[in-house]
Amino acid sequence: LGSLGSFLMTNDRDVPRELSGLVVPALGLLEATEDLFEPYRLVDGDGTVVAPVAAFFAELAACGRPATTHRSYGMDLLRWFRFLWVLEVDWDQATRTEARDFCRWLQIAVKPARPHWRYPDGDALQSGLQQASSGSNSLTGKAIRGDRYEAATVAHCESVLRGFYDFHLEAGTGPMVNPFPLSRHRREGRANAHHNPMDPFPGQRSGRYRPKVVTRAPRCIPDDRFDELFAQLGSHRDRALVAFWVSTGARASELLGAKVSDVDPGQQLITVIRKGTRVLQPLPAAPDAFVWLRLYQAQLNGLVPSGRDEPLWWTLRRPFRALRYDAARAMFTRANAALGSNWSLHDLRHTAAYRMARDPQVPLADIQWVMGHANLSTTQRYLNPVTEEVIAGMLTFHSRRRDRPPDAPPAPEYRAESLQIMFGKDAT
């Protein structure tokens, strides 16, 4: 890893801070409270609620942010406070040195393994897979996630912490200067302020310690690979879920939040709550999805509550509980492991969008409505060819170049007809 020392300014001398050997213990916890006003709370190692984070969460709730946003922001704040606790630095005494070292530490730190709730001691075989090495999957072409934090995670963490300190700076309860500053080439204020809508957005980073995140093209599962993946699903519930995801284009969390009353097989619709706008939207689905759902509901008859407001999806193991995202992702990961692939649940949403975009009779505006995109430019990404199609097309091009017949040799002399046209009848 090389030398990752950072100098901490003191009154007497410069004390080097070695980040390469820094061990950050898993102190504190982000607890789910099941409270509508406070869905999550951050506690320290002694179980005491961290007051500045609680005030920030209250601000998020007042702005109408959903519980998923609280959890996402809370995980970033938990990493930051664990880093400060091991350095023995108060949150309101943190400087840009701690912020810089934290962003550097995230780039080399190993992600902590989360124990399964059935095996909290970690001494039993868990449902997850062994951590794969870095590289790309030979079957899907997607990058294999290693044991380090992704650049998108570091960038999200930097943005959340900058907003956290901006909130306390405005409230007068934090430090005098935000430890996560803006980029030097940016002026104060909102990013892209007074931007001309006729000009493209310039490539600029809003945070000084924000890493560069590469924009990845959406991945589509080929039809033959999807059939192989679908054959690995072991229950009617899993087949119904995947069939709905790949035909409606709904996000994983949107479909998992559906209730019994949200399904209308007669109209071939299922209603979900959109992630961003939180509005109810009916989505058309394929007929086979409702067939798998009916088979799944027949298996659950008499085992789970059947009220209209009850969850639509349940766990397969007893005691039966409402199916959550982590359990659904583990199910899909096991199906991937049988094939050696690494498709994600969100790839099913991309696949649905690509399938609709490939049909010339489906307008692009209809796809935008089904996918729930705020801007039509987001939907236009699915008009671009996928990587597999580009590779197959170029290989076919090289084959045609190799197998084409040789060019005809040039004639030894000019034809008489051509000479007569150019020089007249007496040219011959």
Side-chain angles (χ1 to χ4, degrees), residues 178-195:
N178 193 329
F180 292 88
L182 297 173
S183 297
R184 291 185 177 92
H185 65 274
R186 268 212 51 204
R187 59 186 180 182
E188 297 293 335
R190 179 175 56 85
N192 297 314
H194 310 291
H195 173 259

Side-chain angles (χ1 to χ4, degrees), residues 59-370:
E59 179 77 5
L60 294 178
C63 296
R65 301 296 185 267
T68 53
T69 301
H70 286 243
R71 184 185 183 278
S72 177
Y73 285 20
M75 295 302 297
D76 294 333
L77 290 167
L78 179 60
R79 299 186 190 101
W80 169 245
F81 273 85
R82 283 176 175 176
F83 184 80
L84 293 180
W85 289 334
V86 75
L87 297 183
E88 298 182 354
V89 177
D90 294 335
W91 73 275
D92 53 352
Q93 300 297 322
T95 63
R96 295 184 178 180
T97 301
E98 283 75 29
R100 181 195 60 194
D101 292 345
F102 173 71
C103 293
R104 297 173 64 200
W105 172 79
L106 278 181
Q107 299 177 20
I108 64 170
V110 178
K111 293 184 292 187
R114 292 181 295 178
H116 195 273
W117 67 274
R118 291 182 181 272
Y119 318 109
D121 297 333
D123 54 354
L125 181 62
Q126 301 182 10
S127 60
L129 301 175
Q130 296 291 334
Q131 188 66 29
S133 58
S134 60
S136 60
N137 187 279
S138 59
L139 188 63
T140 65
K142 296 181 57 179
I144 299 176
R145 297 186 180 274
D147 57 352
R148 307 302 172 94
Y149 291 104
E150 299 288 339
T153 303
V154 181
H156 185 269
C157 193
E158 189 272 342
S159 299
V160 170
L161 294 177
R162 183 158 32 85
F164 169 75
Y165 277 100
D166 280 342
F167 162 72
H168 284 284
L169 190 63
E170 294 177 357
T173 56
M176 298 295 295
V177 178
N178 193 329
F180 292 88
L182 297 173
S183 297
R184 291 185 177 92
H185 65 274
R186 268 212 51 204
R187 59 186 180 182
E188 297 293 335
R190 179 175 56 85
N192 297 314
H194 310 291
H195 173 259
N196 187 353
M198 301 300 295
D199 297 334
F201 285 95
Q204 61 179 4
R205 295 181 298 174
S206 57
R208 182 178 302 179
Y209 305 133
R210 180 183 178 89
K212 184 177 181 180
V213 180
V214 179
T215 303
R216 295 173 296 183
R219 285 283 183 172
C220 174
I221 305 178
D223 292 342
D224 54 343
R225 296 298 184 186
F226 176 80
D227 295 338
E228 297 175 0
L229 186 64
F230 194 83
Q232 300 298 326
L233 302 176
S235 65
H236 293 326
R237 182 206 66 180
D238 300 344
R239 300 184 189 99
L241 276 170
V242 173
F244 273 111
W245 274 321
V246 82
S247 61
T248 62
R251 299 176 180 87
S253 58
E254 294 173 348
L255 187 61
L256 292 175
K259 299 184 181 300
V260 176
S261 59
D262 295 332
V263 180
D264 188 357
Q267 299 295 327
Q268 205 171 314
L269 297 174
I270 182 170
T271 303
V272 299
I273 301 178
R274 281 305 186 184
K275 175 184 176 182
T277 58
R278 311 301 298 173
V279 299
L280 291 173
Q281 180 176 345
L283 297 177
D288 60 327
F290 293 96
V291 174
W292 291 117
L293 177 61
R294 187 65 189 94
L295 293 174
Y296 166 59
Q297 290 177 332
Q299 289 181 339
L300 289 181
N301 188 21
L303 299 178
V304 297
S306 57
R308 291 177 53 83
D309 294 333
E310 297 295 335
L312 181 62
W313 312 104
W314 298 83
T315 58
L316 299 179
R317 294 182 179 182
R318 298 174 184 267
F320 294 108
R321 304 174 313 280
L323 185 64
R324 303 299 182 187
Y325 177 81
D326 292 336
R329 182 180 59 182
M331 170 272 297
F332 200 68
T333 302
R334 289 190 294 267
N336 275 289
L339 298 178
S341 57
N342 62 343
W343 304 112
S344 65
L345 292 178
H346 205 70
D347 290 330
L348 296 174
R349 173 176 166 86
H350 294 322
T351 303
Y354 270 114
R355 288 182 177 181
M356 289 182 283
R358 291 296 183 271
D359 192 337
Q361 297 182 0
V362 179
L364 191 62
D366 294 354
I367 303 176
Q368 178 190 9
W369 181 86
V370 172

